[in-house]
Amino acid sequence: MNWWQALILGIIEGLTEYLPVSSTGHLIVAQRMMLGDLTGQEKAAADCFAICVQGGAIAAVLGLYWPRVRQMILGLLGKDREGLHLIFAIVAGFLPAAVIGILANDWIEEKLFHFKWVAWAWLVGGIAILVVDRWMKKGGGSKGVELAEITLKMALVIGFAQCVAMWPGTSRSLMTILGGILVGLRLGAAVEFSFLLGLVTLGAATAKKAVWPVHDIAEKYDHKLGGALLMWDSYGLIPLLIGVIAATVSAAIAVKWMVGYLNRRGLGVFGWYRIAIAIVAAAMIATDFLGLGQG
């Protein structure tokens, strides 16, 4: 992986991680276009890189939402009741993904990590966004509650909604934001909870990918190396640093823009965008563009 490839992948990760458009889907396309149809050790290293640059997106949200993170830390220390309540809510929201992710991860990677399923997820998610956006513009969800009023039941429902995003192309942000709106959170509160829940979910996914032994690749790596060591052996330190820094900067820009845009215009533009790229994806599959229709 060249430095400019790491830069582009980091920018794509940062821009798309917290927007409801699916970072995984965009990265699958970008990796195939730049790196080709990878197999074995090369594919495992590239997949790990795509997960580990999420660390940059995590860092961006930590910085932008530090006052809220600080409140939760104080809550953990027994100095802020609202912060402690929010911690319990985030734990409740994370539990479904933790359990289902462990049980279904291998099946998901085998069955759903193919471009045709990403394309379908883009289309279905786009239609869902337009339906919810129209409902909201007609007054639906106008009396949503603030984040401080979230209940553990509401958080658990959002957590199960997040599990749907294990289907590549769906978007974790999409499912948690829509889940938050539908259980009664105000749009801004749903977005903030989505970002905060993402700190835990993405952090856990990044840590797991970095240390878990890599299977189904070259024999000398099988059951021995965690993803981070494999990636280090394949790419070295510089591409990872470039990718993480690029993801941090681009994620900060995307999050700031998204929050302001949603407050003014709503979700609709993301629905139309997803439908548009689903149509482009369908064309790629039909023409077997760069072999994308095969995986």
Side-chain angles (χ1 to χ4, degrees), residues 1 31-32 35-47 235:
M1 181 180 293
Q31 283 185 327
R32 179 67 69 87
L35 303 177
D37 186 10
L38 302 177
T39 59
Q41 177 188 340
E42 291 180 338
K43 185 179 187 303
D47 289 347
Y235 301 143

Side-chain angles (χ1 to χ4, degrees), residues 111-124:
K111 301 295 185 180
L112 297 181
F113 268 77
H114 300 286
F115 192 50
K116 63 180 179 180
W117 296 117
V118 171
W120 275 110
W122 274 331
L123 178 62
V124 173

Side-chain angles (χ1 to χ4, degrees), residues 184-270:
L185 289 178
R186 183 178 58 84
L187 176 58
V191 171
E192 185 175 2
F193 187 75
S194 171
F195 291 166
L196 295 173
L197 179 58
L199 292 177
V200 179
T201 304
L202 298 178
T206 302
K208 177 182 179 295
K209 196 71 175 182
V211 303
W212 209 260
V214 179
H215 304 284
D216 302 323
I217 58 174
E219 184 177 352
K220 70 174 181 177
Y221 293 100
D222 193 28
H223 300 278
K224 294 180 181 179
L225 289 183
L229 292 177
L230 174 64
M231 183 174 56
W232 183 288
D233 187 62
S234 299
Y235 301 143
L237 177 63
I238 299 302
L240 179 60
L241 287 177
I242 291 173
V244 169
I245 293 170
T248 303
V249 175
S250 57
I253 293 171
V255 167
K256 292 286 287 185
W257 172 81
M258 178 183 171
V259 171
Y261 184 89
L262 288 178
N263 288 331
R264 298 191 308 271
R265 302 289 185 86
L267 288 162
V269 67
F270 300 109

Side-chain angles (χ1 to χ4, degrees), residues 83-167:
L84 182 61
H85 174 71
L86 187 53
I87 287 176
F88 286 137
I90 289 174
V91 171
F94 172 68
L95 282 176
V99 175
I100 295 175
I102 291 173
L103 295 177
N105 181 70
D106 291 343
W107 184 89
I108 290 169
E109 290 192 357
E110 178 185 353
K111 301 295 185 180
L112 297 181
F113 268 77
H114 300 286
F115 192 50
K116 63 180 179 180
W117 296 117
V118 171
W120 275 110
W122 274 331
L123 178 62
V124 173
I127 294 171
I129 287 177
L130 294 180
V131 170
V132 172
D133 185 62
R134 184 170 183 177
W135 171 72
M136 293 183 67
K137 287 178 177 177
K138 288 185 174 181
S142 59
K143 297 181 180 180
V145 302
E146 298 295 335
L147 187 56
E149 300 173 79
I150 190 172
T151 66
L152 296 185
K153 182 179 178 180
M154 292 164 67
L156 191 62
V157 172
I158 296 171
F160 279 108
Q162 179 175 241
C163 292
V164 178
M166 293 176 186
W167 175 4

